[in-house]
Amino acid sequence: MQNMLMGPMWGIIAVATVVGLVTLACFIAMFRYLTHPGEHNPDHPKYSILRRDR
Amino acid sequence: MAVTAQDIDIGRTGSAGSGGEAANEDPALAALFKAYVVCATVWLLFGTAVGLLLAFKFGAPDFWAAKYLTFGRLRPIHTNDVFYGFASLGLVGTALYVTARSCGTRLYSTRLAWIGLWLFNIAALAGTIALDLGYNWGDLEYREWPWPIRLVFFIALLVTVWNLLATIARRSSHDIYLSNWYIIGGFLWTCVICLVAILPWYQKGLGQVAISGYFMHNAVGMWFTPLALGLFYYAIPKVLNRPIYSYALGVLAFWTNLIFYPMLGGHHFLFSPLPWWLQTTAIICSVGMLIPVLGGSANYLLTMRGRYHGRIESYPLAFLFIGVLGYLIGSTQGTVEALRSLQAMWHFTSFTVGHSHLTMYGFVTFAVWGGIYALLPLATGKNPGRLGVAMHFWLALVGVTIYVVALSIGGSIQGLDWIRGLPFIQSVMDMKPYYLWRGVGGILMFLSHIVFAWNVWRMTAGQPGNAPSPIMEPEGEVAA
């Protein structure tokens, strides 16, 4: 209904492609870290925070 | 390779017997933390008492209809006081504690932190008085305070973030722990948001609409959300005596929150004269927010995995767990609401009010409570009573569930009535039973706040209670 406000088609495609790739990469990274959290080094901050704070 | 509790030497973070180590090591920090929590509690009681009165004005609009008690004056008092009085002070207090402890140092300046507390309180008090006297900045949601008062709040932010940055700069560890990323990010983003919202050339026309959407949503998502998530990243591992599932995922959630959140406020103004591309961008960013929300929530839930019994034994964990669920459900609901087809039905209805309570109460408020129950006993050496914490938890949970469900169903009916072109008064009549249930939920929530105040008293100045230590015993193996 508001087609006149949508702007040029190629601009929309360009924006959608860039945004889509960024979003897809973020989703892939999310699943990567969910399945392989890693971080086994005992000196990693996620372990050191559990020690006495100071 | 497995990392064991022995490898990382955990289990000495605090226990029933060692509660109050912060009070012994750093009494200034403990006193400061107590003061922030007490002030937050006072604002919670006041702000939600006003909210309860407002809920019943829907059923009885003429009840206490004196000029100073009209809906138009009380509504912004309720929202601003729970935002900038309760939630802000609760989160800033825990942020100061978390930053100092996780950096292994003392606060850069206790005096600055006290000045910040005074400024936050002065802003909230002056804002309340101004709004009740009728000095309202207009239809700018969550920034109804006259601008000089908002300036006081802004100075409080600057004073506090300076203190936090200087504290982090003198940390004893090499890395900056993840919680501090979120805390500092939240403060810096909010300084920008407050500054933009006060610029005179954005106070009229379409610019005002765009900035209104920018401010109102970012005040939630770039202030309360990062501070609450930062609190999760410290409190959940501490309570469980177990590291966060994936640190890298927390970092990813931080940056994706930064990428997607700032532009999504426009979804409050779909079908408005705002440029169509801006509205579409807001919808796309709302969908993109699924990444930090799903990834972050999964990270917290996977950290809790296998210790479900802990949510019964450890009430701080129960509060934190509900906070995570509130974040997951409320934020996902926000993405769904941003879609044009659904926004067409729910816009301007009570559904949105239910959504905002699911996020600000189910997520942020439960996070604040979880953080306080987890950390304040460590600071003061005083635990609350088991019965008091249980009553607080269940009254608040049942209350907010009734509240959100009632407004979600009622709001949907309201929206469908409007789509069908029924007379407006028909939608008002259809909402009547749901307004009543909203009041019932509100009563339970307010009762829980009275119990919370009692628990805070026991954790600070009163006789300590019989609740066990907020810190659970460590497991033999903490990561696979």
Side-chain angles (χ1 to χ4, degrees):
Chain A
M1 51 185 166
Q2 283 85 4
N3 285 342
M4 77 292 283
L5 298 172
M6 288 182 67
M9 180 57 71
W10 283 111
I12 292 171
I13 291 172
V15 169
T17 305
V18 172
V19 172
L21 285 174
V22 169
T23 307
L24 186 65
C26 290
F27 266 110
I28 290 170
M30 183 187 87
F31 286 115
R32 161 74 179 80
Y33 293 135
L34 274 175
T35 52
H36 299 88
E39 301 158 356
H40 297 304
N41 184 351
D43 292 329
H44 192 283
K46 83 179 198 180
Y47 300 115
S48 55
I49 196 68
L50 294 176
R51 300 188 188 106
R52 199 182 179 96
D53 291 302
R54 75 166 88 97
Chain B
M1 175 188 173
V3 181
T4 66
Q6 288 71 29
D7 288 338
I8 57 173
D9 189 23
I10 65 170
R12 294 189 288 125
T13 55
S15 65
S18 63
E21 63 184 28
N24 297 330
E25 292 175 12
D26 193 349
L29 179 65
L32 191 69
F33 188 22
K34 272 195 290 188
Y36 270 84
V37 171
V38 168
C39 290
T41 307
V42 170
W43 284 113
L44 174 70
L45 286 172
F46 177 73
T48 53
V50 173
L52 191 58
L53 176 59
L54 286 167
F56 280 94
K57 276 178 176 282
F58 278 92
D62 295 329
F63 178 67
W64 269 11
K67 156 170 95 166
Y68 300 108
L69 297 169
T70 51
F71 188 90
R73 294 195 185 188
L74 292 183
R75 199 268 178 179
I77 289 177
H78 165 63
T79 53
N80 283 278
D81 283 352
V82 293
F83 263 46
Y84 305 120
F86 161 63
S88 294
L89 283 175
L91 287 169
V92 171
T94 50
L96 289 164
Y97 182 84
V98 167
T99 301
R101 300 294 298 182
S102 62
C103 288
T105 184
R106 293 181 190 280
L107 271 184
Y108 168 71
S109 168
T110 309
R111 177 175 290 184
L112 270 183
W114 281 102
I115 291 172
L117 178 63
W118 275 103
L119 290 174
F120 281 122
N121 276 306
I122 288 169
L125 185 62
T128 302
I129 294 169
L131 290 174
D132 208 36
L133 292 176
Y135 294 103
N136 188 314
W137 203 246
D139 52 352
L140 308 171
E141 199 166 18
Y142 307 146
R143 50 177 182 151
E144 291 93 344
W145 290 349
W147 70 264
I149 297 174
R150 282 188 278 140
L151 198 58
V152 174
F153 186 85
F154 180 58
I155 295 168
L157 284 177
L158 289 178
V159 165
T160 311
V161 74
W162 179 266
N163 202 7
L164 289 170
L165 283 168
T167 303
I168 291 171
R170 58 197 271 182
R171 69 190 179 279
S172 61
S173 57
H174 176 265
D175 296 284
I176 298 174
Y177 184 64
L178 189 53
S179 292
N180 296 316
W181 288 49
Y182 280 87
I183 289 168
I184 292 300
F187 270 94
L188 293 180
W189 290 329
T190 307
C191 286
V192 173
I193 293 160
C194 286
L195 193 62
V196 171
I198 216 167
L199 295 176
W201 51 89
Y202 289 134
Q203 308 303 324
K204 56 187 175 187
L206 268 184
Q208 185 201 49
V209 178
I211 294 304
S212 193
Y214 172 76
F215 181 85
M216 68 189 284
H217 216 304
N218 285 298
V220 177
M222 305 298 264
W223 173 232
F224 300 117
T225 299
L227 262 60
L229 297 181
L231 180 57
F232 280 157
Y233 280 111
Y234 182 81
I236 291 175
K238 279 285 174 191
V239 168
L240 286 166
N241 245 326
R242 172 193 265 187
I244 194 74
Y245 175 76
S246 170
Y247 193 90
L249 187 56
V251 175
L252 176 77
F254 173 85
W255 288 112
T256 46
N257 197 71
L258 179 60
I259 290 172
F260 294 115
Y261 213 106
M263 287 299 288
L264 65 76
H267 70 213
H268 282 262
F269 295 97
L270 301 186
F271 312 114
S272 78
L274 277 186
W276 199 252
W277 65 263
L278 189 60
Q279 298 179 34
T280 305
T281 305
I283 296 170
I284 293 168
C285 289
S286 304
V287 176
M289 275 304 295
L290 286 175
I291 296 163
V293 169
L294 297 182
S297 303
N299 207 7
Y300 301 129
L301 294 174
L302 284 168
T303 305
M304 297 180 192
R305 76 196 184 283
R307 303 201 77 174
Y308 301 111
H309 65 282
R311 291 197 293 274
I312 300 168
E313 294 168 5
S314 164
Y315 269 100
L317 189 61
F319 279 95
L320 294 166
F321 176 68
I322 295 299
V324 171
L325 287 188
Y327 176 56
L328 173 63
I329 299 169
S331 301
T332 307
Q333 184 192 49
T335 296
V336 172
E337 274 186 87
L339 304 176
R340 280 195 177 92
S341 51
L342 291 169
Q343 184 69 185
M345 176 173 70
W346 284 326
H347 198 45
F348 295 132
T349 69
S350 292
F351 189 94
T352 310
V353 184
H355 168 66
S356 65
H357 281 76
L358 177 56
T359 50
M360 274 305 294
Y361 200 93
F363 162 37
V364 174
T365 303
F366 270 83
V368 172
W369 287 332
I372 289 172
Y373 283 130
L375 305 178
L376 192 58
L378 301 182
T380 63
K382 292 180 175 183
N383 289 324
R386 187 188 285 267
L387 179 64
V389 188
M391 282 179 63
H392 175 205
F393 178 78
W394 288 110
L395 283 170
L397 182 60
V398 173
V400 73
T401 303
I402 292 173
Y403 188 105
V404 172
V405 169
L407 287 189
S408 300
I409 297 172
S412 300
I413 292 172
Q414 204 177 14
L416 290 171
D417 281 352
W418 296 344
I419 289 173
R420 287 159 61 198
L422 297 179
F424 182 77
I425 193 64
Q426 181 64 47
S427 68
V428 177
M429 289 165 65
D430 288 346
M431 275 301 291
K432 199 171 178 183
Y434 301 103
Y435 284 145
L436 180 66
W437 279 109
R438 167 202 190 130
V440 171
I443 288 175
L444 296 178
M445 291 151 77
F446 183 68
L447 288 175
S448 83
H449 304 163
I450 296 173
V451 180
F452 172 64
W454 170 245
N455 292 335
V456 168
W457 169 256
R458 298 190 84 172
M459 288 186 285
T460 53
Q463 283 284 13
N466 61 352
S469 164
I471 308 298
M472 295 167 67
E473 291 300 320
E475 295 170 299
E477 187 170 277
V478 294

